[in-house]
Every structure is written in C-alpha cells, then in structure tokens.
Amino acid sequence: QVQLVESGGRLVQAGGSLRLSCAASGRTFSVYSMSWFRQAPGKDRAFVAGMTWSGGGTNYADSVKGRFTISKDIAKNTLYLQMDSLKPEDTAIYYCNANGLEGSWGQGTQVTVSS
C-alpha cells in the first residue's frame, strides 16, 4: 500500500501561482508513476498532469500546458505541481495518484482561484 497526502491548496487570485505537494509513504518502492487529477464542483474527475517516478517523461492536459509543471523529489518521496497563471476554471479539488486509476489516491486539497 502507498499512502498519499496532498497539501498546498488555498485561495489565490486569478493570475497568481501556487505549488501543490504530494507526500508518499508506505510501499513507495512500488510506485512507477504519479499523477495529478482534479475535480471541479459538479464535474467529473479529470487528468491534469503525470510523470514516471523513475526516469523521465511527463504529460499534461491541454488545458494546463504552458501553465502547470509537474516535478518530483525522489529523496523526499514527494510529487509537486507548480501552477502559474491560474484561472478561475482551475478551481477544483486536486488529487494525487500513484500507479494509475486503480492505484493509490490521496484525499485531495482544495484550490480556489478568485476572479
């Protein structure tokens, strides 16, 4: 089992920046990929960004390309999501994921972008 804990979500102004963190614990040696998803009020869960845990390789949803950057710190077992040029449409609960949809999930952190 891998436990994931997100942090960093808060209220920010449109155009502002925010960095989310996801700390992994437990069977972290079994993690091969990590991703960020988000769910806006009344909407389905949507993929935001993902990367392989070991080695390189990143991918992003079209809606966040050029604004969000996913990164990792293997020594700290931590995944990050740097969010710049935030828009009100980015408002959502952001979830950390390990090993795909059938893998492990965090409880989420709320990001609210004011207009």
Side-chain angles (χ1 to χ4, degrees):
Q1 297 292 322
V2 177
Q3 293 79 48
L4 305 174
V5 180
E6 304 95 335
S7 62
R10 62 178 178 87
L11 173 66
V12 297
Q13 295 182 341
S17 297
L18 191 63
R19 189 179 75 161
L20 305 183
S21 298
C22 172
S25 61
R27 291 170 47 86
T28 56
F29 57 85
S30 68
V31 175
Y32 58 84
S33 68
M34 296 191 75
S35 304
W36 289 97
F37 288 75
R38 67 186 182 187
Q39 186 167 21
K43 303 295 183 180
D44 292 330
R45 178 184 59 191
F47 173 80
V48 176
M51 72 185 309
T52 57
W53 189 242
S54 177
T58 61
N59 60 95
Y60 299 89
D62 289 340
S63 60
V64 306
K65 286 182 178 178
R67 299 190 298 119
F68 290 10
T69 304
I70 188 171
S71 62
K72 63 187 177 186
D73 186 332
I74 296 179
K76 295 182 178 180
N77 289 324
T78 301
L79 181 75
Y80 301 99
L81 184 66
Q82 177 66 44
M83 304 183 293
D84 299 317
S85 301
L86 283 163
K87 305 174 181 179
E89 63 197 60
D90 295 318
T91 295
I93 300 175
Y94 284 71
Y95 297 93
C96 181
N97 167 263
N99 295 342
L101 298 180
E102 303 303 319
S104 300
W105 293 87
Q107 293 301 304
T109 185
Q110 177 71 51
V111 173
T112 302
V113 184
S114 62
S115 59

